[in-house]
Amino acid sequence: MEPRVAVVGGGLAFAAIAAAWLFLTWPPIEQARPGTLRGAGAMTINHGGHGAGMRDEHDDRHAADVDCAGQDLDGLPRTIQALCGIARPLVWRAMQTFFRASPPVFRLSVTSVTPDVHKCSNLYKKEMAKAGVQGKELPYTTKFAAELLFPLLLRASPWATEDASDSSDAAMHVIDACIIGQGQQGQRIPTVVRLLRAHPVLGRRFEATGGEGFVMTMTGDHGPCLLFKDRAGKDDYQRTKTKIWHDYSIVNATFLMNEGSHHGGCYSPTKDVVIPTPVVHTLSPLPCAKPDILNRKTKIFLAGRTSSKTRQRIQERYADDPAFYHQGKERLDPDQFRCEMADSVFCLAPRGEAAWSPRLDEAIHAGCIPVVISDDYDPPFWHLLDYSRFSLRFNQSIVPVLKETLLSIDEATLRELHANVKRVAPVFRYSNLEGVDQWDTTMLPLAVYQLYTIHTARQAS
């Protein structure tokens, strides 16, 4: 029996068609272009002859065009309620129909294929304990733990079922596996695929579909591909370089991944979901955050390793500039790091060895306006959210005029961007192991909705 979605009523039929149209007609962004920062104030950006462009895609679909006054938000998850005026207009209308459907019209089976089901949870607890006692955060809890937390959140939600049989109403099948926790860059992927093939129920279906309809969380730097330092070449990547997959047999599966680079062939914007990195595990805002974005110590924050030429160029150009926060040689402890971000107006999230950076998620949690600097990169949930409402996005060639561009933004725009950063924060948040029952205040609802649009688009194509 083919996976299926029940469609109830004309409204849901429209939502399904709209979702499919969204994925089939929205091409990936090839390059940024000069333009206007819309939504959060009207400010024209003139980049002169440097070729740097504001990443302001899909000019005809801006979230600011939605009238949120008097909107009925009943029946929507709390994360979704805050997205009126931030989600793209067509998405906002379709999401309301999707999330109000009762019973849910989209179901996901969740199946564990890892023999040691406690491997990743034990690693997570160990690292969280070290963060609390030693003030030291480690990679799993700050970059890779989505493979553990997403299935836990999903199981607590109304969209999950443990029934993966042929008679199940599940439209897609989420594979719960400890991959990165047993090999930090995905070395265990072939083992997981072997276990999936041997599964008494899903193995046959996986072989028949070539992996289509299966969802796997791949949070290594390059998702399902081997570790590859994307910084090769003068522009931090080689456009012609094809990365090597750990196991090419899963190429048709849908991946939840941090990687959103258009280069290397590991990520496909029509079938994969770029998700936030799990740097935020709490529902509480930072106690050191200053509420007034205009009354902060630092204008522009940048810290972390110089792991790409883009970061190196920023640090070299603005090394002695008082508008920038300078970390120096001393490594900040996690609390200091977050509080310095929370006392800054702009927090830079330039690409590192890969196109993505957890600085985006950290900035939003700190209530700092994120500035994404990365070519040909899709940030989390880019199909669904109007990033111009709560962030700034630039090509890597912005560096020579970065300071002038940021400091030219007017106060009204800064206040609106900051207000929207606080509203969108739940989208970039996970829970800790004890908080999965609060799934509707995390990234989960938006991830489920994007999986729904992928499934609907594939069914329609």
Side-chain angles (χ1 to χ4, degrees):
M1 179 180 293
E2 291 294 320
R4 62 186 184 275
V5 173
V7 178
V8 185
L12 214 20
F14 165 77
I17 294 170
W21 177 86
L22 198 66
F23 256 79
L24 292 173
T25 62
W26 245 340
I29 308 307
E30 293 302 326
Q31 62 182 28
R33 60 183 184 275
T36 300
L37 177 64
R38 296 192 48 186
M43 179 196 66
T44 300
I45 305 290
N46 184 354
H47 300 299
H50 295 283
M54 177 70 71
R55 301 209 56 166
D56 182 27
E57 58 268 22
H58 315 310
D59 286 340
D60 58 336
R61 306 185 186 102
H62 282 277
D65 299 332
V66 176
D67 181 8
C68 295
Q71 286 266 350
D72 178 15
L73 303 178
D74 289 345
L76 301 179
R78 284 176 284 178
T79 295
I80 303 301
Q81 290 180 16
L83 296 184
C84 182
I86 295 177
R88 301 186 184 280
L90 179 62
V91 171
W92 174 246
R93 292 194 295 271
M95 282 199 305
Q96 291 182 75
T97 306
F98 174 80
F99 286 114
R100 287 196 174 105
S102 182
V105 298
F106 181 64
R107 302 272 279 174
L108 296 151
S109 72
V110 190
T111 305
S112 176
V113 298
T114 305
D116 186 355
V117 295
H118 301 296
K119 180 78 175 181
C120 276
S121 60
N122 289 340
L123 174 60
Y124 179 91
K125 292 174 184 176
K126 180 180 179 180
E127 290 200 3
M128 290 295 281
K130 284 188 176 182
V133 175
Q134 302 177 10
K136 181 180 180 182
E137 292 183 339
L138 296 170
Y140 195 70
T141 53
T142 57
K143 290 178 74 174
F144 306 129
E147 66 176 7
L148 167 69
L149 299 176
F150 178 79
L152 288 174
L153 289 167
L154 181 59
R155 282 190 167 101
S157 79
W159 300 291
T161 175
E162 299 291 336
D163 184 5
S165 68
D166 289 344
S167 60
S168 169
D169 62 351
M172 300 182 81
H173 305 283
V174 175
I175 303 305
D176 180 4
C178 186
I179 298 172
I180 306 300
Q182 299 191 61
Q184 196 175 92
Q185 289 296 340
Q187 294 92 329
R188 295 279 293 180
I189 291 174
T191 301
V192 170
V193 174
R194 176 175 55 79
L195 293 170
L196 174 58
R197 291 178 185 277
H199 191 274
V201 176
L202 293 179
R204 172 174 46 82
R205 187 175 299 157
F206 179 82
E207 294 288 354
T209 62
E212 184 172 335
F214 286 78
V215 180
M216 306 179 80
T217 307
M218 298 285 181
T219 55
D221 283 356
H222 302 284
C225 294
L226 294 169
L227 179 62
F228 168 78
K229 294 187 183 299
D230 234 10
R231 61 184 173 183
K234 66 177 182 178
D235 292 320
D236 288 328
Y237 53 75
Q238 293 176 315
R239 290 179 181 271
T240 58
K241 180 71 175 180
T242 300
K243 300 170 190 173
I244 301 172
W245 284 56
H246 283 285
D247 190 322
Y248 199 74
S249 70
I250 57 175
V251 67
N252 291 322
T254 289
F255 303 119
L256 306 180
M257 54 200 300
N258 300 325
E259 165 80 299
S261 173
H262 296 179
H263 302 288
C266 303
Y267 158 71
S268 169
T270 58
K271 73 171 185 66
D272 299 326
V273 181
V274 183
I275 57 174
T277 52
V279 297
V280 183
H281 309 266
T282 174
L283 303 180
S284 303
L286 287 176
C288 55
K290 291 187 177 179
D292 187 355
I293 190 68
L294 302 181
N295 185 30
R296 295 191 171 183
K297 178 180 70 175
T298 304
K299 291 294 185 183
I300 305 169
F301 177 92
L302 172 66
R305 293 187 302 118
T306 308
S307 55
S308 68
K309 288 188 173 67
T310 297
R311 294 188 184 188
Q312 180 181 343
R313 288 171 187 144
I314 296 171
Q315 292 178 346
E316 289 176 351
R317 185 172 185 88
Y318 302 105
D320 300 316
D321 196 309
F324 283 72
Y325 171 82
H326 298 285
Q327 180 177 345
K329 295 183 179 180
E330 295 297 324
R331 184 177 179 87
L332 297 174
D333 69 45
D335 288 338
Q336 286 179 306
F337 185 88
R338 285 188 284 264
C339 285
E340 289 291 347
M341 296 184 87
D343 204 5
S344 303
V345 178
F346 302 104
C347 290
L348 304 187
R351 61 165 299 119
E353 292 179 356
W356 62 278
S357 167
R359 297 293 96 78
L360 168 64
D361 314 75
E362 291 165 342
I364 289 174
H365 180 51
C368 182
I369 298 169
V371 181
V372 178
I373 305 173
S374 186
D375 290 357
D376 305 322
Y377 158 73
D378 295 336
F381 306 126
W382 72 278
H383 292 85
L384 310 178
L385 302 176
D386 183 348
Y387 265 73
S388 72
R389 296 287 287 149
F390 61 91
S391 70
L392 302 170
R393 298 176 62 198
F394 298 104
N395 277 344
Q396 292 158 204
S397 54
I398 189 67
V399 174
V401 293
L402 177 61
K403 175 186 172 181
E404 302 95 295
T405 301
L406 295 180
L407 298 187
S408 70
I409 300 176
D410 63 83
E411 292 185 0
T413 299
L414 292 178
R415 290 192 186 280
E416 189 167 356
L417 285 168
H418 180 237
N420 288 335
V421 164
K422 292 189 289 185
R423 290 174 57 203
V424 82
V427 170
F428 292 84
R429 182 168 59 210
Y430 291 76
S431 74
N432 54 33
L433 296 184
E434 292 73 36
V436 294
D437 59 327
Q438 301 184 63
W439 57 265
D440 70 329
T441 64
T442 69
M443 53 74 71
L444 181 79
L446 213 58
V448 168
Y449 180 75
Q450 190 165 346
L451 288 172
Y452 168 68
T453 66
I454 290 169
H455 171 77
T456 306
R458 278 187 153 181
Q459 295 291 98
S461 63

